[in-house]
Amino acid sequence: MAATDPQVLALAAQITESREQDIPLLLLKLKGILSSPSLGCEESNKIKQDIYDYGLTQYCLLVLKQDHSQLHGAWATAAQLAEILSHCCVGLEVKEDPEEFCRKFLPSVIDSLLVLGKRLQARFIRAIKDKEKQDFLHWFQIVTDAICWLFGGHIQLAACALQNDRFLQLLITDDVETAIIMMSVLHNILRINSSVLLQVEEETLHSVLDELVYKLSSTTNPAVGSAATKLLLLVAKSCKQLVQLFTARYKGLKGLLSKQWTGKGFDRKVNQLLDLLYLEQSSGKGEIQKQHEAACIIQAAWRGFQTRKRLKKLPQAVVTLQRSFRAKREQELQRLTKQNEDEALKLQMQLQRQRAMRLFHERQLTLLEVVHAGQVNKYMQEMEEKSALTIQRFWRGYRARRIFHQQKQSLKEYKAAVIIQRAACNFLEKRRRRRPLAPWKEPRGLTDEQRLALQQKVDDYIKLHPASQMSEEMSKELHMQAQAKLAQFLLRNRLDQRAAQRREALLAQVNTDVELLMNAPGLSETTEKDFGAFMSRSIPVATKARQAHNTMLKYTRWPWWKKLGDEFMEDDVIPDDAINTELETLFIGGRKSF
């Protein structure tokens, strides 16, 4: 057995002892080892075998599967590693387990190179600066050359590459430069293995041919048209069955080539392809055949459009999935953070409570040391009474505030109900007044018999109930009694009116005080002006008058839809209910104004 190359052995040992981020730069040294001018063919194959045996080829494949933006040198390093990996695989004859090398390792290499090419293509399309576009295009060209070089050494990989979804994604693009490069890769594949299209699935074959025909129908670029025409000509020359597929599936292809691509600089290729297509087609062309050609072109364009649309939605779906995952993770982090904060706050409150209790007990012990022993019981009793009074005071205040707020809401609901009832009553009264009177109907007269019967009833009633006769003295006495009772009633009514007025004044004063208390600010926000409002009666009266005036002005400016309940009122009369809707009732001088 020949000895291992010392350079490969030293590089393998160095990679084993190095950090992970330094491995890509060390693997680039393989390019110098493989391109040494002193190596012959057998020596080169021997070095490739040593590189594979020591796992350096597998290292290159693993590095290509990583995030290339994190590598030293980024995409340039990834492109060079792709080239090195391709050269290491071509000419390599694995003696131990060659089945695994051919069926697992080489397809994974092809998949990694296609993934790298797809990422470079995407970044080339998104690049804005010319320098960045040139760099990405150069690296993309290096990767595609590595793929073509790998096909030259392993012909069986051509079918595997064509059946890979990423190869179709690379081919289906509207970018001119990358589309031409990918068509050149496909051209090299067909030149190396002309029967590869018959080895792939029918759906893959139709997708490739649909894309080539779509490029001919959707673009006017001569470079793209020339590359697509050369590919179709190569496909037609490689197999007669594919020519039949052209004539059956793309019936408008001949008209497209003759009308759109004649005189573009590659007429010889166009004419050769047209000759092959015309040989397979019958001489007669009817109207149905023309319709078929148009339908095929529409179908090809539609399939290309649908495929592009589906491929464009894939990154969006990935972005949506990532966004939802990040949002869910953010919500989970927020929930955990809030839970930790709540637990910390709870612990802090517990510590503060314990500290306060400890300080309270220490203060009590200190006071007990100061107080005389004979007065300890008296002092403890006083402290208990003060504590009980404090607790009772807080509880009564809380209960009074709660009851007050409940009554406040009930009072608002009661006043709202009164306003609604008053409006309903006014509406019904107005409608009752506007109801037209029934026409006058003259009562029917009595007949002679009815008149005689009614007169007889009246006479009988007078006989049964004779009228009592009163003397003049009794009439005067009765008149004097009526006058005395009337004088007593008027005197008592005047006293009742004064008492009612006083009750109304007291009730108005109480309502005003209650409203001032309801609108009063807190003790921490009280000013001298607020003190004056409670100490003087003139300030709240002026304030209420100003509020009533503002409310009347506001009512006059209301829109029509707010006055829908007032259409049955006089135009120049503003109801008191509207004035008191927000400001309750206006009290002036201790009296309630209606």
Side-chain angles (χ1 to χ4, degrees), residues 19 41 61 83 147 169 330 339 348 394 501 535:
R19 296 178 302 174
C41 182
L61 182 59
E83 186 178 11
I147 294 173
Q169 293 174 7
E330 185 68 22
Q339 183 178 358
Q348 186 179 3
F394 277 100
Q501 289 177 359
M535 296 172 64

Side-chain angles (χ1 to χ4, degrees), residues 79-144:
Q80 294 179 19
L81 288 176
E83 186 178 11
I84 292 171
L85 182 60
S86 176
H87 282 78
C88 290
C89 293
V90 175
L92 176 61
E93 296 179 1
V94 180
K95 297 178 181 179
E96 295 181 2
D97 200 2
E99 195 74 15
E100 181 181 2
F101 175 77
C102 295
R103 293 190 176 182
K104 293 183 178 180
F105 183 78
L106 289 178
S108 64
V109 171
I110 283 291
D111 186 74
S112 299
L113 295 179
L114 291 175
V115 170
L116 178 58
K118 179 60 181 174
R119 292 176 179 175
L120 289 172
Q121 185 188 50
R123 279 161 177 78
F124 169 76
I125 294 173
R126 292 199 302 265
I128 300 175
K129 298 181 180 179
D130 294 336
K131 181 64 170 58
E132 292 180 358
K133 294 182 75 69
Q134 292 176 3
D135 293 337
F136 281 115
L137 184 62
H138 175 65
W139 298 329
F140 182 77
Q141 184 69 54
I142 291 174
V143 174
T144 53

